[in-house]
Amino acid sequence: MINSIYVDNIIKTALLEDINYLDTATDYLIDDDQVNTARFLAKDSGVLCGINIALRVFEILQPNGFEATVYKHDGDILEKGDIIAEIKGKTRTILKGERTALNLIQHMSGVATATNRAVKLIEGTNASIADTRKTLPGLRPLQKYAVTVGGGRNHRYNLSDAAMLKDNHVDAGGGISAAVAKLKKKLGHMTKVELEVRNLDELGQALEAGVDVIMLDNMSVEMMREAVEITNGRALLEASGGITDETLRAIAETGVDIISMGAITHSVKAFDISLKIAD
């Protein structure tokens, strides 16, 4: 799911950020030939994501002789106290890679856990949870992968994936009809068009223009329900804007197809995981 070159580059960037030219404590305290075992431990309950990426940190630091036994895999439900994995390698390797590995696995597991919570809140409806482009710079592939591990779906990956017209596009492009018509003359047959609408009048214009997906931006539950009735399956409907755990269920029950949430990537709480020397 994630390009290994990208993963290695992210890890190396993080390690260079953390270790300038030496680890002052580790390199002066620990002999180069000392070996230890350590365990990744869950300190909360939630969805695991990123264990292989965390282990890759140590493999990069120690290409030979590093060992790992994995007990929990991405997508597994963790309970407090679970042993996720056990690693064995040079003590210097473990101490130098600890923070980078934990930063990655804690953040990715936080995204997966938040996504899974949202997915469970709308169970039994026809709606699905999707992410947005509101991701942390440089971490989008990791975050979008974590969303899928939590049971969500990916929205467009970047600006090249689809033609999505938001309010500024429409305002700058001469209105809905003009903007969509101009786009359709230039787009290939494989590219979909999504349009953001702010009210039911704009919804009608979007349907008349023949767009594939309509985003209902910051609409009330009542207006979304009316939008579903008006659309009657002529386009996919995506609810977005200001959505919280408290409003998720009611929005899903309006009949929308997709609920996109920036909060599952840009505002998640890191999942609490520790790495402890075991011997």
Side-chain angles (χ1 to χ4, degrees):
M1 291 285 294
I2 310 179
N3 187 305
S4 60
I5 298 173
Y6 161 81
V7 170
D8 283 4
N9 285 339
I10 282 287
I11 291 171
K12 289 175 182 178
T13 299
L15 288 172
L16 286 171
E17 189 175 59
D18 211 28
I19 307 170
N20 189 355
Y21 54 94
L22 84 162
D23 177 341
T24 308
T26 299
D27 287 329
Y28 288 142
L29 177 66
I30 305 297
D31 292 336
D32 182 55
D33 60 354
Q34 183 172 330
V35 173
N36 277 99
T37 299
R39 293 179 182 139
F40 283 94
L41 301 171
K43 300 179 71 178
D44 202 350
S45 58
V47 180
L48 175 65
C49 184
I51 181 58
N52 291 332
I53 291 173
L55 296 177
R56 181 62 183 155
V57 173
F58 303 105
E59 293 171 353
I60 289 174
L61 286 169
Q62 184 183 330
N64 299 307
F66 174 76
E67 302 173 9
T69 303
V70 178
Y71 302 110
K72 300 290 184 179
H73 300 272
D74 286 2
D76 286 350
I77 303 298
L78 298 177
E79 299 296 338
K80 184 176 180 179
D82 283 348
I83 299 175
I84 299 168
E86 187 170 84
I87 62 175
K88 184 178 181 180
K90 289 186 176 183
T91 310
R92 285 186 178 184
T93 297
I94 295 171
L95 294 175
K96 289 181 180 183
E98 174 184 359
R99 177 42 51 199
T100 295
L102 287 176
N103 283 347
L104 292 168
I105 194 173
Q106 286 177 332
H107 180 67
M108 293 178 70
S109 296
V111 172
T113 298
T115 303
N116 188 252
R117 181 171 61 248
V119 168
K120 287 182 176 179
L121 285 171
I122 64 168
E123 279 183 348
T125 71
N126 292 323
S128 60
I129 298 295
D131 53 30
T132 70
R133 283 172 43 247
K134 295 176 181 177
T135 54
L136 299 179
L139 295 183
R140 183 171 295 174
L142 299 186
Q143 291 186 308
K144 282 187 170 286
Y145 166 69
V147 166
T148 66
V149 170
R153 301 176 68 183
N154 293 148
H155 206 288
R156 59 177 177 163
Y157 188 86
N158 56 39
L159 294 172
S160 301
D161 282 347
M164 183 172 172
L165 301 178
K166 299 180 75 67
D167 54 356
N168 284 334
H169 292 95
V170 170
D171 293 341
I176 290 175
S177 297
V180 173
K182 185 175 182 179
L183 261 181
K184 286 193 169 186
K185 288 180 181 178
K186 298 182 178 182
L187 290 179
H189 68 285
M190 296 294 288
T191 306
K192 289 188 176 183
V193 178
E194 178 168 7
L195 178 71
E196 176 185 276
V197 301
R198 296 160 283 194
N199 51 58
L200 296 180
D201 177 62
E202 290 184 348
L203 173 70
Q205 295 179 57
L207 290 170
E208 187 174 341
V211 300
D212 303 291
V213 186
I214 300 172
M215 176 188 287
L216 309 178
D217 183 48
N218 282 292
M219 287 189 180
S220 67
V221 170
E222 292 74 18
M223 190 177 291
M224 287 185 197
R225 189 175 292 111
E226 191 171 349
V228 171
E229 293 178 2
I230 293 171
T231 302
N232 194 28
R234 287 179 285 170
L236 290 175
L237 292 181
E238 173 186 338
S240 187
I243 297 168
T244 66
D245 288 352
E246 289 70 32
T247 60
L248 255 178
R249 184 74 192 184
I251 291 171
E253 289 176 345
T254 64
V256 296
D257 303 288
I258 306 144
I259 302 174
S260 58
M261 300 178 66
I264 59 176
T265 51
H266 68 59
S267 299
V268 297
K269 177 183 176 183
F271 186 87
D272 199 356
I273 296 172
S274 65
L275 180 66
K276 295 295 184 183
I277 297 291
D279 52 352

